[in-house]
Amino acid sequence: MPAHDSILGTIGDTPSIWLDRFTSARGLEGRILAKLDYLNSGFSKKDRAALGVIEEARGSGALAPGQPVVELTSGNMGTGLAIVCGQLGHPFIAVMSRGNSVERARMMAALGAEVVLVEQAPGSKPGEVSGADLDLVDAEARRITGERGAFRADQFERKGNPAAHEAGTGPELWADSGGTLTAFADFVGSGGTYAGTIAALARLGDVRGYAVEPEGAAAASGAPVTSPGHPIQGGGYARGDLTFLDGARVDGFITVTGDEAREAARALAREEGIFGGFSGGANVAAAAALLRGEEKGGVVGVVICDSGLKYLSTDLWP
């Protein structure tokens, strides 16, 4: 393979692993294929979205040369944007809730980002970022964007987010499975990974899509929000108004608890040697539930969204 001109050339084309040890140990009928997006340069799937959003904006003229970029983040999109903006000459300001793990803020700063930490809403718990916390972060991101004449890399609205997964993640998963996937499950944050990936997979084969949410905060499914606080960082913000889910193929919604996500992530590390984070654990826990139910005997694709290294200060690891 020839050398790349910059680190941006390494984003995407991540490997996939059959989780046969995991499924066999639990007597599950069927297979789970995990795409290891934590092996991207910024250790998460958000590198794809960051590159997609910035390339789209530069191409359309919405982002001028050297213009600052601002975005709210749980850490992963911010890390991806820190890398992309640093390589393309844009100052980047990451706005993040203090409820997220400290490793994420330190990594973004190391990559050249200016990191603005926003205090959590009253009653919120450290390590658990609620929709109310996200609203405070969004307000601060809006203020900074206006103050500095910056471009807002709005991962909840910019089409470069799902487009990156439709062009990359979906076709890669399909090819890696040998065209055998019957379903795809993904923990919903912005909804970009889910919408883009299922759009590609549904076009390539008869693949059903399942949106994964935290138990008690499954607003996208239309369920009442009874417990907006949960430990699965990077998504599950109890938002029922996700733009990218509008019109996306959703064959079902599935919920997971924080404990189920935590247990699955720990099992992946022990049994498969995959050191992923909370949301990757949530995806695998959801896939296991599907193989016990609607997708019994099928092949479920998931993404391991980020690295377990980003959670060493949390209770994910004993």
Side-chain angles (χ1 to χ4, degrees), residues 6-194:
S6 83
I7 195 69
L8 303 185
T10 69
I11 294 174
D13 290 319
T14 53
S16 295
I17 301 292
W18 291 108
L19 303 185
D20 290 341
R21 294 171 182 81
F22 179 89
T23 54
S24 294
R26 288 152 186 81
L28 298 173
E29 293 185 32
R31 305 183 82 185
I32 300 172
L33 182 65
K35 174 157 276 294
L36 307 186
D37 259 26
Y38 76 98
L39 296 180
N40 274 308
S41 304
F43 308 143
S44 92
K45 67 178 185 178
K46 290 292 189 177
D47 289 8
R48 297 180 188 258
L51 183 59
V53 166
I54 296 302
E55 284 187 334
E56 177 194 44
R58 282 165 61 94
S60 69
L63 174 61
Q67 184 180 7
V69 173
V70 173
E71 179 56 335
L72 67 77
T73 180
S74 66
N76 285 333
M77 185 66 169
T79 299
L81 284 168
I83 292 171
V84 173
C85 290
Q87 294 298 299
L88 297 178
H90 298 278
F92 173 59
I93 303 97
V95 189
M96 189 173 80
S97 171
R98 285 191 182 276
N100 291 115
S101 61
V102 67
E103 291 90 342
R104 297 172 178 227
R106 294 178 69 179
M107 184 175 180
M108 287 187 290
L111 288 165
E114 176 184 343
V115 181
V116 177
L117 296 177
V118 179
E119 298 297 334
Q120 291 184 268
S124 293
K125 298 179 182 178
E128 298 183 1
V129 179
S130 68
D133 292 330
L134 195 68
D135 288 342
L136 293 175
V137 177
D138 182 55
E140 181 65 6
R142 289 176 185 273
R143 185 191 69 78
I144 294 171
T145 299
E147 183 179 89
R148 304 200 189 182
F151 170 78
R152 177 70 184 274
D154 189 348
Q155 61 179 301
F156 286 85
E157 299 291 339
R158 301 283 181 186
K159 294 180 180 178
N161 177 357
H165 295 289
E166 185 170 0
T169 311
E172 290 170 29
L173 262 172
W174 181 254
D176 292 347
S177 77
T180 63
L181 283 186
T182 62
F184 173 69
D186 193 62
F187 185 70
V188 174
S190 69
T193 304
Y194 177 84

